[in-house]
Amino acid sequence: MNLQRKMSAMNEKILVIEDEETLVKTLRYNLDREGYQVYTATDGMSGLELARSEKPDLLILDLLLPELDGLSVCRILRQEGSNVPILMLTCRDEEMDKVLGLELGADDYVTKPFSLRELLARVKALLRRVEMLRQEERKPEVISVGELTIDLRRHMAFWKKDEELELSPKEFVLLTFLARNRGMVLSRELILERVWGYDYVGDTRTVDVHIRWLREKIEEDPGNPRHILTVRGIGYRFEG
Ligand code: CA
């Protein structure tokens, strides 16, 4: 089992509605391996019911389905007020023009045959977009962990209430991410993805370098850190 992938997916629920059984199997296997909770349906009707009962975080929806086609499933869910992100699977590009043109509320699509890598990238991108929107909605103005206070509105961080930390923009985002996930083991890959963005082409040493700089700013003894701890072979954990 891949621990790092498991953590980054945070058990988001994905519902796959697709009638090609081999494809369903492949998707289930790979999404599960990425750490998602996977539900599947092979026709539109039971897919719709599962979408209602399980309230997935993302829907992968085939366009051509028995019982009820993908467009109808999409339209019904939107009419019912669901804003679940929907990734449509389609056979030809022109079919998707119709979907998007009719504004049925699909968020993205891939054309069959697609590579798994591409599909997984789209899934991640959609989930990330949703997560960012959610965070915007419930963003606290101040994060307080032990001796650290981060004022998000003013984009300032303090140590022991009044010592202002002079951080670069990246260090600020990194420290905020660590503080938000205090106590959790965060892999270098996850940090790279969340702080630098998943399109970032670079290696995880970038993370180590920034961690070192942060330690120099907040640790009493950077060589013997008490707050930003190294988790051997994985990454880091923040303790207040
Ligand atoms: Ca189909």
PDB file of all heavy atoms in Angstrom, residues 57-89:
ATOM      1  N   ASP A  57     -17.506  12.853  -3.455  1.00  0.00           N
ATOM      2  CA  ASP A  57     -16.792  14.108  -3.649  1.00  0.00           C
ATOM      3  C   ASP A  57     -16.540  14.370  -5.122  1.00  0.00           C
ATOM      4  O   ASP A  57     -16.233  15.496  -5.514  1.00  0.00           O
ATOM      5  CB  ASP A  57     -15.439  14.065  -2.918  1.00  0.00           C
ATOM      6  CG  ASP A  57     -15.630  13.920  -1.430  1.00  0.00           C
ATOM      7  OD1 ASP A  57     -16.151  14.869  -0.823  1.00  0.00           O
ATOM      8  OD2 ASP A  57     -15.311  12.851  -0.880  1.00  0.00           O
ATOM      9  N   LEU A  58     -16.652  13.294  -5.908  1.00  0.00           N
ATOM     10  CA  LEU A  58     -16.430  13.429  -7.350  1.00  0.00           C
ATOM     11  C   LEU A  58     -17.163  12.307  -8.071  1.00  0.00           C
ATOM     12  O   LEU A  58     -17.269  11.207  -7.570  1.00  0.00           O
ATOM     13  CB  LEU A  58     -14.937  13.345  -7.662  1.00  0.00           C
ATOM     14  CG  LEU A  58     -14.583  13.494  -9.140  1.00  0.00           C
ATOM     15  CD1 LEU A  58     -14.020  14.872  -9.401  1.00  0.00           C
ATOM     16  CD2 LEU A  58     -13.579  12.465  -9.601  1.00  0.00           C
ATOM     17  N   LEU A  59     -17.641  12.637  -9.252  1.00  0.00           N
ATOM     18  CA  LEU A  59     -18.351  11.666 -10.059  1.00  0.00           C
ATOM     19  C   LEU A  59     -17.617  11.485 -11.381  1.00  0.00           C
ATOM     20  O   LEU A  59     -17.317  12.457 -12.063  1.00  0.00           O
ATOM     21  CB  LEU A  59     -19.754  12.219 -10.314  1.00  0.00           C
ATOM     22  CG  LEU A  59     -20.856  11.295 -10.780  1.00  0.00           C
ATOM     23  CD1 LEU A  59     -21.061  10.180  -9.785  1.00  0.00           C
ATOM     24  CD2 LEU A  59     -22.153  12.091 -10.920  1.00  0.00           C
ATOM     25  N   ILE A  60     -17.314  10.230 -11.706  1.00  0.00           N
ATOM     26  CA  ILE A  60     -16.779   9.940 -13.035  1.00  0.00           C
ATOM     27  C   ILE A  60     -17.929   9.283 -13.784  1.00  0.00           C
ATOM     28  O   ILE A  60     -18.416   8.226 -13.387  1.00  0.00           O
ATOM     29  CB  ILE A  60     -15.557   9.001 -12.961  1.00  0.00           C
ATOM     30  CG1 ILE A  60     -14.429   9.689 -12.201  1.00  0.00           C
ATOM     31  CG2 ILE A  60     -15.101   8.607 -14.364  1.00  0.00           C
ATOM     32  CD1 ILE A  60     -13.196   8.824 -12.003  1.00  0.00           C
ATOM     33  N   LEU A  61     -18.391   9.948 -14.815  1.00  0.00           N
ATOM     34  CA  LEU A  61     -19.658   9.574 -15.416  1.00  0.00           C
ATOM     35  C   LEU A  61     -19.522   9.334 -16.910  1.00  0.00           C
ATOM     36  O   LEU A  61     -19.113  10.219 -17.666  1.00  0.00           O
ATOM     37  CB  LEU A  61     -20.637  10.731 -15.146  1.00  0.00           C
ATOM     38  CG  LEU A  61     -22.056  10.664 -15.688  1.00  0.00           C
ATOM     39  CD1 LEU A  61     -22.804   9.457 -15.139  1.00  0.00           C
ATOM     40  CD2 LEU A  61     -22.804  11.947 -15.310  1.00  0.00           C
ATOM     41  N   ASP A  62     -19.866   8.122 -17.322  1.00  0.00           N
ATOM     42  CA  ASP A  62     -19.828   7.791 -18.736  1.00  0.00           C
ATOM     43  C   ASP A  62     -21.027   8.456 -19.422  1.00  0.00           C
ATOM     44  O   ASP A  62     -22.094   8.619 -18.836  1.00  0.00           O
ATOM     45  CB  ASP A  62     -19.894   6.268 -18.888  1.00  0.00           C
ATOM     46  CG  ASP A  62     -19.653   5.846 -20.330  1.00  0.00           C
ATOM     47  OD1 ASP A  62     -18.975   6.579 -21.058  1.00  0.00           O
ATOM     48  OD2 ASP A  62     -20.160   4.771 -20.707  1.00  0.00           O
ATOM     49  N   LEU A  63     -20.814   8.834 -20.678  1.00  0.00           N
ATOM     50  CA  LEU A  63     -21.899   9.505 -21.400  1.00  0.00           C
ATOM     51  C   LEU A  63     -22.982   8.523 -21.840  1.00  0.00           C
ATOM     52  O   LEU A  63     -24.170   8.751 -21.638  1.00  0.00           O
ATOM     53  CB  LEU A  63     -21.295  10.215 -22.619  1.00  0.00           C
ATOM     54  CG  LEU A  63     -22.191  11.126 -23.412  1.00  0.00           C
ATOM     55  CD1 LEU A  63     -22.691  12.282 -22.570  1.00  0.00           C
ATOM     56  CD2 LEU A  63     -21.443  11.665 -24.629  1.00  0.00           C
ATOM     57  N   LEU A  64     -22.554   7.402 -22.425  1.00  0.00           N
ATOM     58  CA  LEU A  64     -23.520   6.434 -22.913  1.00  0.00           C
ATOM     59  C   LEU A  64     -23.682   5.294 -21.919  1.00  0.00           C
ATOM     60  O   LEU A  64     -22.767   4.520 -21.688  1.00  0.00           O
ATOM     61  CB  LEU A  64     -23.070   5.877 -24.278  1.00  0.00           C
ATOM     62  CG  LEU A  64     -22.899   6.944 -25.356  1.00  0.00           C
ATOM     63  CD1 LEU A  64     -22.325   6.339 -26.621  1.00  0.00           C
ATOM     64  CD2 LEU A  64     -24.220   7.644 -25.642  1.00  0.00           C
ATOM     65  N   LEU A  65     -24.860   5.234 -21.322  1.00  0.00           N
ATOM     66  CA  LEU A  65     -25.124   4.262 -20.263  1.00  0.00           C
ATOM     67  C   LEU A  65     -26.492   3.652 -20.452  1.00  0.00           C
ATOM     68  O   LEU A  65     -27.404   4.313 -20.971  1.00  0.00           O
ATOM     69  CB  LEU A  65     -25.140   4.981 -18.906  1.00  0.00           C
ATOM     70  CG  LEU A  65     -23.842   5.464 -18.295  1.00  0.00           C
ATOM     71  CD1 LEU A  65     -24.153   6.402 -17.148  1.00  0.00           C
ATOM     72  CD2 LEU A  65     -23.008   4.291 -17.815  1.00  0.00           C
ATOM     73  N   PRO A  66     -26.672   2.406 -20.034  1.00  0.00           N
ATOM     74  CA  PRO A  66     -28.016   1.833 -20.065  1.00  0.00           C
ATOM     75  C   PRO A  66     -28.912   2.467 -18.984  1.00  0.00           C
ATOM     76  O   PRO A  66     -28.389   3.048 -18.026  1.00  0.00           O
ATOM     77  CB  PRO A  66     -27.787   0.346 -19.781  1.00  0.00           C
ATOM     78  CG  PRO A  66     -26.449   0.250 -19.150  1.00  0.00           C
ATOM     79  CD  PRO A  66     -25.656   1.440 -19.592  1.00  0.00           C
ATOM     80  N   GLU A  67     -30.195   2.330 -19.160  1.00  0.00           N
ATOM     81  CA  GLU A  67     -31.219   2.833 -18.215  1.00  0.00           C
ATOM     82  C   GLU A  67     -31.405   4.350 -18.286  1.00  0.00           C
ATOM     83  O   GLU A  67     -32.475   4.847 -18.586  1.00  0.00           O
ATOM     84  CB  GLU A  67     -30.911   2.449 -16.759  1.00  0.00           C
ATOM     85  CG  GLU A  67     -30.714   0.959 -16.519  1.00  0.00           C
ATOM     86  CD  GLU A  67     -32.014   0.214 -16.325  1.00  0.00           C
ATOM     87  OE1 GLU A  67     -32.977   0.841 -15.864  1.00  0.00           O
ATOM     88  OE2 GLU A  67     -32.049  -0.996 -16.652  1.00  0.00           O
ATOM     89  N   LEU A  68     -30.312   5.050 -17.978  1.00  0.00           N
ATOM     90  CA  LEU A  68     -30.393   6.507 -17.955  1.00  0.00           C
ATOM     91  C   LEU A  68     -29.029   6.986 -18.421  1.00  0.00           C
ATOM     92  O   LEU A  68     -28.018   6.557 -17.883  1.00  0.00           O
ATOM     93  CB  LEU A  68     -30.643   6.935 -16.498  1.00  0.00           C
ATOM     94  CG  LEU A  68     -31.086   8.339 -16.203  1.00  0.00           C
ATOM     95  CD1 LEU A  68     -32.449   8.614 -16.818  1.00  0.00           C
ATOM     96  CD2 LEU A  68     -31.155   8.537 -14.685  1.00  0.00           C
ATOM     97  N   ASP A  69     -28.958   7.822 -19.465  1.00  0.00           N
ATOM     98  CA  ASP A  69     -27.633   8.182 -19.961  1.00  0.00           C
ATOM     99  C   ASP A  69     -26.948   9.218 -19.071  1.00  0.00           C
ATOM    100  O   ASP A  69     -27.564   9.806 -18.185  1.00  0.00           O
ATOM    101  CB  ASP A  69     -27.704   8.647 -21.424  1.00  0.00           C
ATOM    102  CG  ASP A  69     -28.475   9.940 -21.573  1.00  0.00           C
ATOM    103  OD1 ASP A  69     -28.297  10.846 -20.738  1.00  0.00           O
ATOM    104  OD2 ASP A  69     -29.280  10.050 -22.534  1.00  0.00           O
ATOM    105  N   GLY A  70     -25.670   9.389 -19.348  1.00  0.00           N
ATOM    106  CA  GLY A  70     -24.859  10.261 -18.510  1.00  0.00           C
ATOM    107  C   GLY A  70     -25.360  11.701 -18.454  1.00  0.00           C
ATOM    108  O   GLY A  70     -25.343  12.333 -17.403  1.00  0.00           O
ATOM    109  N   LEU A  71     -25.843  12.183 -19.593  1.00  0.00           N
ATOM    110  CA  LEU A  71     -26.346  13.561 -19.615  1.00  0.00           C
ATOM    111  C   LEU A  71     -27.535  13.726 -18.676  1.00  0.00           C
ATOM    112  O   LEU A  71     -27.642  14.712 -17.957  1.00  0.00           O
ATOM    113  CB  LEU A  71     -26.786  13.942 -21.031  1.00  0.00           C
ATOM    114  CG  LEU A  71     -25.703  14.172 -22.064  1.00  0.00           C
ATOM    115  CD1 LEU A  71     -26.312  14.676 -23.358  1.00  0.00           C
ATOM    116  CD2 LEU A  71     -24.676  15.158 -21.532  1.00  0.00           C
ATOM    117  N   SER A  72     -28.413  12.719 -18.681  1.00  0.00           N
ATOM    118  CA  SER A  72     -29.594  12.813 -17.810  1.00  0.00           C
ATOM    119  C   SER A  72     -29.196  12.745 -16.344  1.00  0.00           C
ATOM    120  O   SER A  72     -29.732  13.486 -15.516  1.00  0.00           O
ATOM    121  CB  SER A  72     -30.583  11.693 -18.123  1.00  0.00           C
ATOM    122  OG  SER A  72     -30.859  11.671 -19.494  1.00  0.00           O
ATOM    123  N   VAL A  73     -28.258  11.844 -16.038  1.00  0.00           N
ATOM    124  CA  VAL A  73     -27.797  11.740 -14.648  1.00  0.00           C
ATOM    125  C   VAL A  73     -27.250  13.096 -14.199  1.00  0.00           C
ATOM    126  O   VAL A  73     -27.591  13.617 -13.134  1.00  0.00           O
ATOM    127  CB  VAL A  73     -26.693  10.656 -14.515  1.00  0.00           C
ATOM    128  CG1 VAL A  73     -26.076  10.683 -13.117  1.00  0.00           C
ATOM    129  CG2 VAL A  73     -27.258   9.281 -14.821  1.00  0.00           C
ATOM    130  N   CYS A  74     -26.447  13.676 -15.055  1.00  0.00           N
ATOM    131  CA  CYS A  74     -25.841  14.976 -14.782  1.00  0.00           C
ATOM    132  C   CYS A  74     -26.918  16.042 -14.561  1.00  0.00           C
ATOM    133  O   CYS A  74     -26.900  16.783 -13.576  1.00  0.00           O
ATOM    134  CB  CYS A  74     -24.959  15.324 -15.972  1.00  0.00           C
ATOM    135  SG  CYS A  74     -23.911  16.726 -15.759  1.00  0.00           S
ATOM    136  N   ARG A  75     -27.882  16.073 -15.474  1.00  0.00           N
ATOM    137  CA  ARG A  75     -28.925  17.102 -15.408  1.00  0.00           C
ATOM    138  C   ARG A  75     -29.786  16.946 -14.162  1.00  0.00           C
ATOM    139  O   ARG A  75     -30.077  17.920 -13.466  1.00  0.00           O
ATOM    140  CB  ARG A  75     -29.790  17.039 -16.666  1.00  0.00           C
ATOM    141  CG  ARG A  75     -30.725  18.233 -16.820  1.00  0.00           C
ATOM    142  CD  ARG A  75     -31.486  18.198 -18.129  1.00  0.00           C
ATOM    143  NE  ARG A  75     -32.159  16.914 -18.309  1.00  0.00           N
ATOM    144  CZ  ARG A  75     -31.997  16.104 -19.352  1.00  0.00           C
ATOM    145  NH1 ARG A  75     -31.192  16.440 -20.336  1.00  0.00           N
ATOM    146  NH2 ARG A  75     -32.643  14.971 -19.435  1.00  0.00           N
ATOM    147  N   ILE A  76     -30.131  15.694 -13.861  1.00  0.00           N
ATOM    148  CA  ILE A  76     -30.980  15.457 -12.684  1.00  0.00           C
ATOM    149  C   ILE A  76     -30.258  15.881 -11.404  1.00  0.00           C
ATOM    150  O   ILE A  76     -30.816  16.569 -10.545  1.00  0.00           O
ATOM    151  CB  ILE A  76     -31.403  13.966 -12.604  1.00  0.00           C
ATOM    152  CG1 ILE A  76     -32.335  13.641 -13.770  1.00  0.00           C
ATOM    153  CG2 ILE A  76     -32.085  13.657 -11.275  1.00  0.00           C
ATOM    154  CD1 ILE A  76     -32.596  12.156 -13.965  1.00  0.00           C
ATOM    155  N   LEU A  77     -28.995  15.495 -11.305  1.00  0.00           N
ATOM    156  CA  LEU A  77     -28.238  15.860 -10.096  1.00  0.00           C
ATOM    157  C   LEU A  77     -28.155  17.374  -9.925  1.00  0.00           C
ATOM    158  O   LEU A  77     -28.333  17.900  -8.824  1.00  0.00           O
ATOM    159  CB  LEU A  77     -26.829  15.262 -10.140  1.00  0.00           C
ATOM    160  CG  LEU A  77     -26.744  13.766  -9.829  1.00  0.00           C
ATOM    161  CD1 LEU A  77     -25.342  13.242 -10.111  1.00  0.00           C
ATOM    162  CD2 LEU A  77     -27.126  13.495  -8.377  1.00  0.00           C
ATOM    163  N   ARG A  78     -27.920  18.072 -11.016  1.00  0.00           N
ATOM    164  CA  ARG A  78     -27.833  19.532 -10.930  1.00  0.00           C
ATOM    165  C   ARG A  78     -29.185  20.138 -10.561  1.00  0.00           C
ATOM    166  O   ARG A  78     -29.246  21.080  -9.782  1.00  0.00           O
ATOM    167  CB  ARG A  78     -27.337  20.129 -12.255  1.00  0.00           C
ATOM    168  CG  ARG A  78     -25.899  19.798 -12.601  1.00  0.00           C
ATOM    169  CD  ARG A  78     -24.911  20.326 -11.574  1.00  0.00           C
ATOM    170  NE  ARG A  78     -23.524  20.094 -11.983  1.00  0.00           N
ATOM    171  CZ  ARG A  78     -22.628  19.405 -11.275  1.00  0.00           C
ATOM    172  NH1 ARG A  78     -22.949  18.885 -10.102  1.00  0.00           N
ATOM    173  NH2 ARG A  78     -21.392  19.252 -11.715  1.00  0.00           N
ATOM    174  N   GLN A  79     -30.244  19.554 -11.139  1.00  0.00           N
ATOM    175  CA  GLN A  79     -31.579  20.062 -10.791  1.00  0.00           C
ATOM    176  C   GLN A  79     -31.884  19.860  -9.317  1.00  0.00           C
ATOM    177  O   GLN A  79     -32.592  20.647  -8.703  1.00  0.00           O
ATOM    178  CB  GLN A  79     -32.656  19.355 -11.632  1.00  0.00           C
ATOM    179  CG  GLN A  79     -32.835  19.989 -13.004  1.00  0.00           C
ATOM    180  CD  GLN A  79     -33.647  19.108 -13.939  1.00  0.00           C
ATOM    181  OE1 GLN A  79     -34.080  18.005 -13.580  1.00  0.00           O
ATOM    182  NE2 GLN A  79     -33.847  19.578 -15.158  1.00  0.00           N
ATOM    183  N   GLU A  80     -31.327  18.792  -8.779  1.00  0.00           N
ATOM    184  CA  GLU A  80     -31.555  18.516  -7.355  1.00  0.00           C
ATOM    185  C   GLU A  80     -30.644  19.350  -6.456  1.00  0.00           C
ATOM    186  O   GLU A  80     -30.658  19.201  -5.244  1.00  0.00           O
ATOM    187  CB  GLU A  80     -31.326  17.022  -7.058  1.00  0.00           C
ATOM    188  CG  GLU A  80     -32.396  16.140  -7.676  1.00  0.00           C
ATOM    189  CD  GLU A  80     -32.109  14.645  -7.509  1.00  0.00           C
ATOM    190  OE1 GLU A  80     -31.037  14.295  -6.984  1.00  0.00           O
ATOM    191  OE2 GLU A  80     -32.958  13.842  -7.897  1.00  0.00           O
ATOM    192  N   GLY A  81     -29.831  20.158  -7.087  1.00  0.00           N
ATOM    193  CA  GLY A  81     -28.998  21.074  -6.312  1.00  0.00           C
ATOM    194  C   GLY A  81     -27.617  20.533  -5.964  1.00  0.00           C
ATOM    195  O   GLY A  81     -26.876  21.157  -5.205  1.00  0.00           O
ATOM    196  N   SER A  82     -27.277  19.364  -6.513  1.00  0.00           N
ATOM    197  CA  SER A  82     -25.957  18.812  -6.214  1.00  0.00           C
ATOM    198  C   SER A  82     -24.880  19.608  -6.956  1.00  0.00           C
ATOM    199  O   SER A  82     -25.042  19.951  -8.120  1.00  0.00           O
ATOM    200  CB  SER A  82     -25.884  17.350  -6.654  1.00  0.00           C
ATOM    201  OG  SER A  82     -24.537  16.928  -6.719  1.00  0.00           O
ATOM    202  N   ASN A  83     -23.782  19.897  -6.282  1.00  0.00           N
ATOM    203  CA  ASN A  83     -22.694  20.555  -6.995  1.00  0.00           C
ATOM    204  C   ASN A  83     -21.451  19.675  -7.038  1.00  0.00           C
ATOM    205  O   ASN A  83     -20.331  20.155  -7.137  1.00  0.00           O
ATOM    206  CB  ASN A  83     -22.391  21.939  -6.416  1.00  0.00           C
ATOM    207  CG  ASN A  83     -22.160  21.867  -4.928  1.00  0.00           C
ATOM    208  OD1 ASN A  83     -22.027  20.774  -4.363  1.00  0.00           O
ATOM    209  ND2 ASN A  83     -22.106  23.011  -4.271  1.00  0.00           N
ATOM    210  N   VAL A  84     -21.674  18.356  -6.951  1.00  0.00           N
ATOM    211  CA  VAL A  84     -20.556  17.419  -7.033  1.00  0.00           C
ATOM    212  C   VAL A  84     -19.809  17.638  -8.359  1.00  0.00           C
ATOM    213  O   VAL A  84     -20.432  17.803  -9.408  1.00  0.00           O
ATOM    214  CB  VAL A  84     -21.069  15.954  -6.921  1.00  0.00           C
ATOM    215  CG1 VAL A  84     -22.051  15.599  -8.024  1.00  0.00           C
ATOM    216  CG2 VAL A  84     -19.898  14.963  -6.951  1.00  0.00           C
ATOM    217  N   PRO A  85     -18.482  17.709  -8.310  1.00  0.00           N
ATOM    218  CA  PRO A  85     -17.757  17.851  -9.581  1.00  0.00           C
ATOM    219  C   PRO A  85     -17.940  16.598 -10.444  1.00  0.00           C
ATOM    220  O   PRO A  85     -17.873  15.487  -9.938  1.00  0.00           O
ATOM    221  CB  PRO A  85     -16.301  18.024  -9.175  1.00  0.00           C
ATOM    222  CG  PRO A  85     -16.205  17.696  -7.741  1.00  0.00           C
ATOM    223  CD  PRO A  85     -17.583  17.747  -7.157  1.00  0.00           C
ATOM    224  N   ILE A  86     -18.195  16.816 -11.716  1.00  0.00           N
ATOM    225  CA  ILE A  86     -18.451  15.691 -12.614  1.00  0.00           C
ATOM    226  C   ILE A  86     -17.428  15.661 -13.747  1.00  0.00           C
ATOM    227  O   ILE A  86     -17.246  16.648 -14.459  1.00  0.00           O
ATOM    228  CB  ILE A  86     -19.883  15.761 -13.198  1.00  0.00           C
ATOM    229  CG1 ILE A  86     -20.904  15.658 -12.057  1.00  0.00           C
ATOM    230  CG2 ILE A  86     -20.107  14.634 -14.223  1.00  0.00           C
ATOM    231  CD1 ILE A  86     -22.358  15.762 -12.492  1.00  0.00           C
ATOM    232  N   LEU A  87     -16.778  14.523 -13.861  1.00  0.00           N
ATOM    233  CA  LEU A  87     -15.833  14.295 -14.958  1.00  0.00           C
ATOM    234  C   LEU A  87     -16.499  13.322 -15.918  1.00  0.00           C
ATOM    235  O   LEU A  87     -16.789  12.184 -15.564  1.00  0.00           O
ATOM    236  CB  LEU A  87     -14.538  13.693 -14.405  1.00  0.00           C
ATOM    237  CG  LEU A  87     -13.454  13.318 -15.401  1.00  0.00           C
ATOM    238  CD1 LEU A  87     -12.925  14.536 -16.139  1.00  0.00           C
ATOM    239  CD2 LEU A  87     -12.299  12.621 -14.683  1.00  0.00           C
ATOM    240  N   MET A  88     -16.794  13.793 -17.118  1.00  0.00           N
ATOM    241  CA  MET A  88     -17.499  12.941 -18.078  1.00  0.00           C
ATOM    242  C   MET A  88     -16.513  12.134 -18.907  1.00  0.00           C
ATOM    243  O   MET A  88     -15.447  12.621 -19.277  1.00  0.00           O
ATOM    244  CB  MET A  88     -18.343  13.797 -19.031  1.00  0.00           C
ATOM    245  CG  MET A  88     -19.498  14.540 -18.389  1.00  0.00           C
ATOM    246  SD  MET A  88     -20.856  13.478 -17.878  1.00  0.00           S
ATOM    247  CE  MET A  88     -21.752  13.316 -19.399  1.00  0.00           C
ATOM    248  N   LEU A  89     -16.927  10.900 -19.209  1.00  0.00           N
ATOM    249  CA  LEU A  89     -16.151  10.060 -20.120  1.00  0.00           C
ATOM    250  C   LEU A  89     -16.922  10.002 -21.428  1.00  0.00           C
ATOM    251  O   LEU A  89     -18.116   9.732 -21.436  1.00  0.00           O
ATOM    252  CB  LEU A  89     -16.022   8.640 -19.562  1.00  0.00           C
ATOM    253  CG  LEU A  89     -15.458   8.497 -18.157  1.00  0.00           C
ATOM    254  CD1 LEU A  89     -15.377   7.023 -17.772  1.00  0.00           C
ATOM    255  CD2 LEU A  89     -14.097   9.152 -18.042  1.00  0.00           C
TER     256      LEU A  89
END
